[in-house]
Amino acid sequence: MRGLVKYAGRDGAVEIRELPAPELIAGHVLVEARAVGVCGSDLHMWRNTHSWPTREPVVLGHEMAGVIVDRADDVPGWEIGDRVVCETAASICGECALCRTGRYNLCPDREGYGATRDGAFAELLLAEPRVLHRIPDNVSFEQAALTEPFAVAYNALVERAAVTPGDLVVVQGIGAIGALSLQVARLRGAGAVIVLGARVDALRLEKAQALGAVRTVDVTAEDPVAVVRSYGDGLGADLVVDATGVSGALRSALDMVRPLGSIAKIGWGPQPLDFSLDPLVAKAVTLYGSFSHTWSTWERVLQLFSSGRLDPDAVLGGVYPFQEWRSGFAAMEGGSNIKSVISMTS
């Protein structure tokens, strides 16, 4: 089978290779990939700028929608032909306190698709049934491939740092997670959402306005703190969502958040901090780390897709044939797409 492989620890060391197909084993199914979303983490691994554990070689990708094409005899409840999406936690211990209390996304032995386990940018994926979710009939494979990043935003703004109706919310970064956080914040009843980006994000900032942002800010041209404090009572944002992947964004977030406000940090950033965290204490701010998601998160996002309350098409910039994966990656890297999806059948 074909797979998109990161084969070395250097910039650009990614290519399509012929690989042995995974063998079906007890307690598992084989899923044929139909559509796979491109994540910012895939771009970082392509450019070798990631800051999380990986193995090499590894098949990239973790935002997959597909069809079950085979299942082991000891897997009940699933049939060949079922349309499914797959969670990213390819393997967990199942025994630690976090797994036993439903927080398996934080299992210390967790292995993730596309990082430490072969991922979704291949023709077949071996999966345990615990990671499967049925795709609603009125949701396409391309739409379903966005379930995972929407689940990231849902976890951050609903399950971690919840938005209260009327809140002033600031989203730092208008990549995929930033744009999806904007949608979730509005769904939760945010009174106003301000989105921050850079010069490269000009097209995406325009899209943010179309998605309902009351204001967008190019932080290279305007002072975002002054803009944020011009809203409401001037004390700052109730919630700041860091979706940038730049460690220094936390400093700006601390300037923008109001006393007793919250910061949800989603983006990974390898850069060391070189500033004081005293404002976190002085303002009594709550800082939430937000990582991954769990079973209920996925189920809720899929139902919101089906009902039309969340709109994956609004952020889908293009669908690219597998052979043209570089075009899909480059469109996101260059700022022309918020989200690219790779069609694995074309």
Side-chain angles (χ1 to χ4, degrees):
M1 70 173 187
R2 297 178 303 163
L4 185 64
V5 177
K6 178 175 174 60
Y7 56 86
R10 62 176 185 272
D11 182 10
V14 172
E15 65 184 11
I16 294 177
R17 291 183 169 181
E18 284 294 328
L19 304 169
E23 294 184 6
L24 182 65
I25 58 176
H28 288 68
V29 302
L30 284 175
V31 183
E32 181 182 76
R34 296 294 179 85
V36 182
V38 179
C39 180
S41 65
D42 296 317
L43 301 184
H44 281 296
M45 291 182 68
W46 178 36
R47 294 305 187 192
N48 206 49
T49 56
H50 55 288
S51 59
W52 50 87
T54 62
R55 77 160 207 235
E56 291 152 7
V58 68
V59 176
L60 295 180
H62 56 266
E63 302 179 3
M64 191 263 259
V67 175
I68 294 176
V69 292
D70 203 357
R71 67 174 180 86
D73 292 338
D74 60 347
V75 175
W78 298 95
E79 300 296 337
I80 293 172
D82 284 347
R83 302 167 70 245
V84 296
V85 287
C86 298
E87 293 183 37
T88 57
S91 176
I92 59 173
C93 77
E95 297 295 331
C96 70
L98 291 163
C99 285
R100 288 177 178 270
T101 54
R103 286 298 176 187
Y104 57 86
N105 56 315
L106 302 175
C107 172
D109 294 322
R110 176 187 184 276
E111 292 189 348
Y113 284 123
T116 52
R117 287 278 293 272
D118 281 341
F121 281 120
E123 294 172 20
L124 293 172
L125 184 76
L126 182 68
E128 297 177 41
R130 63 171 180 81
V131 303
L132 302 179
H133 299 263
R134 288 180 173 82
I135 301 172
D137 291 341
N138 62 340
V139 176
S140 70
F141 287 118
E142 292 77 17
Q143 293 168 329
L146 272 66
T147 309
E148 193 276 340
F150 267 103
V152 169
Y154 187 100
N155 181 39
L157 279 78
V158 178
E159 299 171 339
R160 297 291 291 149
V163 177
T164 299
D167 276 355
L168 173 60
V169 177
V170 173
V171 177
Q172 297 174 295
I174 187 54
I177 299 302
L180 307 186
S181 295
L182 165 58
Q183 278 203 47
V184 174
R186 295 191 70 235
L187 183 65
R188 288 283 290 179
V193 183
I194 300 171
V195 176
L196 313 183
R199 187 172 293 110
V200 70
D201 297 315
L203 292 175
R204 293 193 285 209
L205 287 172
E206 289 181 11
K207 187 66 174 178
Q209 289 185 315
L211 288 170
V214 300
R215 183 76 151 78
T216 59
V217 180
D218 175 352
V219 299
T220 66
E222 288 186 271
D223 178 5
V225 178
V227 171
V228 171
R229 290 185 176 173
S230 70
Y231 281 78
D233 58 14
L235 289 174
D238 297 283
L239 172 64
V240 180
V241 180
D242 173 12
T244 66
V246 178
S247 297
L250 181 59
R251 183 173 193 169
S252 181
L254 287 170
D255 290 336
M256 289 184 288
V257 70
R258 69 186 294 111
L260 293 175
S262 300
I263 299 170
K265 182 164 178 55
I266 308 173
W268 293 71
Q271 308 87 0
L273 299 178
D274 60 355
F275 54 87
S276 172
L277 292 177
D278 283 353
L280 187 76
V281 180
K283 290 184 176 182
V285 169
T286 302
L287 175 61
Y288 293 94
S290 185
F291 175 68
S292 193
H293 23 63
T294 58
W295 187 89
S296 62
T297 318
W298 283 68
E299 286 293 305
R300 287 169 177 161
V301 168
L302 286 166
Q303 289 306 310
L304 289 166
F305 283 1
S306 182
S307 68
R309 301 291 302 281
L310 287 177
D311 182 10
D313 287 334
V315 295
L316 180 54
V319 179
Y320 300 82
F322 188 31
Q323 287 293 141
E324 297 176 19
W325 66 269
R326 284 187 180 84
S327 297
F329 278 44
M332 286 180 59
E333 182 182 48
S336 58
N337 277 2
I338 290 177
K339 195 69 177 176
S340 299
V341 166
I342 306 300
S343 172
M344 302 301 293
T345 58
S346 60

